[in-house]
Amino acid sequence: MSIEKMEATELLGFNKFEVDEEEPHIVLDKEICKKCQEKPCLTVCPAVLYTLDKNGDISFDHAGCLECGTCRVMCKNKGIQKWTYPRGTFGVNFRYG
Amino acid sequence: MSGDDKFDAIIIGAGPAGSACAYTLAKAGKSVLMIERGNTPGSKNVTGGRLYSYALDLLEPGLWEEAALERKVTHEQIMMLSKEQSVKIDYSNPAYNLEGQIPHSFTVLRAVFDEWLAGKAEEMGAMVACGILVDDLIEENGRIVGVKAGEDDMYADVVIAADGVNSFIAQKAGVFGDLEASTLGVGVKEIIELPAKTIEERFNLKDGEGTALLILGCTEGIHGGGFLYTNKESISLGCVFTPTEAAENGRQIHDIFQDMKMHPAILPLLEGGQTVEYGAHLVREEGFRGIPQKLYKEGLLVIGEAAGFVINVGYSIRGIDLAIVSGIAAAQAIISGKAPGPAYMEQLASLKLLPSMKAVDRYFDLLEIHRLYSTYPNIATDVFHLLFTVDGNEPPNVKKEMLKILKENNLSVWQLMKDGIRGVKSI
C-alpha cells in the first residue's frame, strides 16, 4: 500500500483498542449539544468521533478515542457530561506512541 | 494488594517523569509504588518525539548506552511550506555526536522507551502496577496521604502526580486549575514504517543517524506546525494545532494533517511506507508563565507534563528531558528529608529546570505572531522562486519584486519591521 490521504476511521483501524462496552468514559448530554451553536468537537477531535447525524444532532462513539482530552477542554457549553480516562486496561494501547 | 501497606512514595503515571522519580527513590532505598493506567508503561503515551540526552545522563551516567532509543539526531531541519513549494534549512554539527561521547539527542517512540525506563525503575526495586486507574486522592486534615483506585486505598508519605497533560490529580489537589484551551496545542501523529536502509538513503544518514524536522506553513494559518522524526524503522509524522483556532477555522485537524502528508515536499519522504499507528496528544504551550508558584501541596508533588514542563521555542520542542529532570528533582527533595514541597521547588531551580523555562519565556510572544504560520512561509517560497527562476527573460529587479511579494502577501514593510522588532525583543 502506498501513502495516501486517509479517513480517520481508516487510521484508527491501525490502532489497538480494548473497548469498554459497559462503561463509556465520555458521556454527552445531547440536549445541550443540540443547542450548542459552535460545536467545536466536530473540528478538533483528532479521531473525528463527533459527527452530525441525519437530524443534525451530534453523534458520538467512544470506541476509537485516543484519550487526548481536546474535546473536554473545548466543550464550553458542558455538553460533555462526563470525561474520565477509561477504566484500567481499557481504551487505546499504543504500540509505538 | 493489601490496603495496610504504606509506601514511602506512590507515583501516579509511569511516563518518563514518574519512572525517573521511581528510579531515583528506589535507588536510595525508598519503598515506591508506581501506578500506571495503561496495560504497560507507555501504552497511553504519545510524543513527537525526541529526547535530549543530558537528562538521561543526569538520571544515571551511561544509562543511555542500553536505553531503548531510536536514532541519534545528526540533522536538524526547518522547512517552510506554501501550497506546492518548500524551503528547507539543514543544520548539522559533528560536535553533537563525537565518538565516545553521549550524543546530543535521540529520536524516541514512547511506548518503547517508557516501558524500558519503567523496567529500570523496577530493577532498582520500585513496584510497578499497570492497568490501574487512580480515581482520587485520599486527604486527611488537609494533607494528601494516599490514593484511591477502585476498591483499593493505598497510602504513602508522599504522592507524586506524574499523570500527564490532563493531570486530573493535580486539579483534584487544587495545585492547578482546569486547562485553558487557548494555552494548548493538539498534536496528531502517524507512525509510518519504512526499512532502515530506505530511511538512511532518503535522509542522507549513516547507520543509526537520524533527522529532526520541524515544519511551518502546513496549518492553514492556525498557530501550530508540523514535525517529522526518523526512527529506526519508521517515521513519526505529525502536526500540532491550537484547538481554539482550529475550531474557528472549521476544517477538521485530521484533514489538514492529511493534506500536509500529501504535500509535494513531504510525500516523497514517506513513499513506499505503511502507516501502522495514529495517535493524538495535548501539549501545554504556555511555558513558564503557565506554571504556578507552588507545584505541591502537603503530601503531594506534581512533576512532568502534569506540571506544565514543556518548552516550545518554535525551532525545538522539549518535554521528555524536562520530565526526567523534574522526576529526579522530586525524588531528591524526598530523599533530602526536608519538607518535600519547598525542597522540590529548590531542586527544580538548582537542576536548572525552572530557570531554563524562564529564560525562554518570551518566545511565547514571538510564537503569537500569526504571520509565522502562513504569511512568512509563503513569502519565503515566493522569494526563493524569484531568486532561482531562470527563463531566458531579462532578470527582474530583485528589490522591486521583493516589495511586490510583500504586497501580494498583504504585508507592509512597516508590519514586517514591527514583527522583526517584536521578534528580536522576544528572544
Side-chain angles (χ1 to χ4, degrees), chain A residues 96-97, chain B residues 16 46-56 68-78 89 91-93 96-97 103-111 113-114 189 191 209-215 226-231 235-237 309-324:
Chain A
Y96 302 92
Chain B
V46 176
T47 186
R50 171 221 303 248
L51 165 63
Y52 288 95
S53 319
Y54 80 93
L56 206 49
L69 302 162
E70 294 296 312
R71 291 173 178 272
K72 62 176 184 179
V73 177
T74 53
H75 289 261
E76 304 277 356
Q77 301 182 337
I78 297 172
I89 300 166
Y91 173 70
S92 69
N93 184 349
Y96 280 175
N97 296 289
H104 181 239
S105 68
F106 290 92
T107 56
V108 285
L109 292 168
R110 284 287 296 276
F113 176 76
D114 290 8
K189 185 175 97 161
I191 302 282
E209 291 184 347
T211 297
L213 165 66
L214 293 180
I215 307 159
F227 58 83
L228 183 156
Y229 295 96
T230 57
N231 307 312
I235 282 172
S236 297
L237 178 77
F309 293 149
V310 180
I311 292 179
N312 177 6
V313 289
Y315 51 84
S316 76
I317 296 141
R318 293 169 57 183
I320 309 172
D321 61 318
L322 305 178
I324 291 173

Side-chain angles (χ1 to χ4, degrees), chain B residues 321-347:
Chain B
D321 61 318
L322 305 178
I324 291 173
V325 173
S326 72
I328 299 170
Q332 285 180 352
I334 294 164
I335 294 162
S336 75
K338 298 188 218 161
Y344 173 48
M345 298 310 287
E346 279 170 29
Q347 286 289 336

Side-chain angles (χ1 to χ4, degrees), chain B residues 263-327:
Chain B
H263 190 282
I266 304 292
L267 186 59
L269 302 174
L270 316 170
E271 210 104 59
Q274 166 71 52
T275 300
V276 289
E277 192 167 88
Y278 181 59
H281 191 80
L282 277 177
V283 195
R284 293 181 105 130
E285 296 278 10
E286 239 187 342
F288 184 73
R289 64 188 69 181
I291 297 170
Q293 294 274 312
K294 269 171 68 175
L295 283 164
Y296 61 91
K297 178 178 172 157
E298 191 111 356
L300 178 103
L301 306 176
V302 185
I303 64 175
E305 203 177 17
F309 293 149
V310 180
I311 292 179
N312 177 6
V313 289
Y315 51 84
S316 76
I317 296 141
R318 293 169 57 183
I320 309 172
D321 61 318
L322 305 178
I324 291 173
V325 173
S326 72

Side-chain angles (χ1 to χ4, degrees), chain A residues 1-18 23 25 38-51 64-76 78 83-97, chain B residues 37 39 42-47 109-112 131-133 163 165-168 171 178-181 184 186-193 234 243-244 246-247 250-255 258-259 261-262 267 270-282:
Chain A
M1 211 174 90
S2 61
I3 296 295
E4 53 195 31
K5 229 180 129 156
M6 277 186 265
E7 295 295 330
T9 42
E10 218 175 330
L11 287 166
L12 294 175
F14 296 120
N15 293 355
K16 208 176 140 220
F17 292 99
E18 202 67 56
E23 221 177 277
H25 65 289
E38 301 86 2
K39 295 186 174 55
C41 51
L42 295 175
T43 314
V44 300
C45 171
V48 198
L49 298 176
Y50 296 83
T51 51
C65 180
L66 301 169
E67 301 167 30
C68 65
T70 312
C71 58
R72 191 183 69 83
V73 296
M74 286 299 292
C75 182
K76 285 295 163 233
K78 305 274 180 253
W83 200 109
T84 60
Y85 283 127
R87 292 188 290 172
T89 74
F90 286 109
V92 69
N93 278 294
F94 292 114
R95 290 157 298 143
Y96 302 92
Chain B
R37 70 186 180 92
N39 281 325
S43 64
K44 295 291 185 182
N45 299 345
V46 176
T47 186
L109 292 168
R110 284 287 296 276
V112 183
I132 297 170
L133 178 67
D163 55 334
V165 62
N166 285 298
S167 191
F168 297 118
Q171 283 175 37
D178 202 356
L179 298 171
E180 192 56 57
L184 296 165
V186 49
V188 292
K189 185 175 97 161
E190 266 184 60
I191 302 282
I192 298 162
E193 268 182 4
S234 66
T244 46
R251 236 183 116 203
Q252 283 164 1
I253 56 168
H254 148 267
D255 207 24
Q258 291 299 303
D259 275 352
K261 187 172 85 173
M262 302 312 283
L267 186 59
L270 316 170
E271 210 104 59
Q274 166 71 52
T275 300
V276 289
E277 192 167 88
Y278 181 59
H281 191 80
L282 277 177

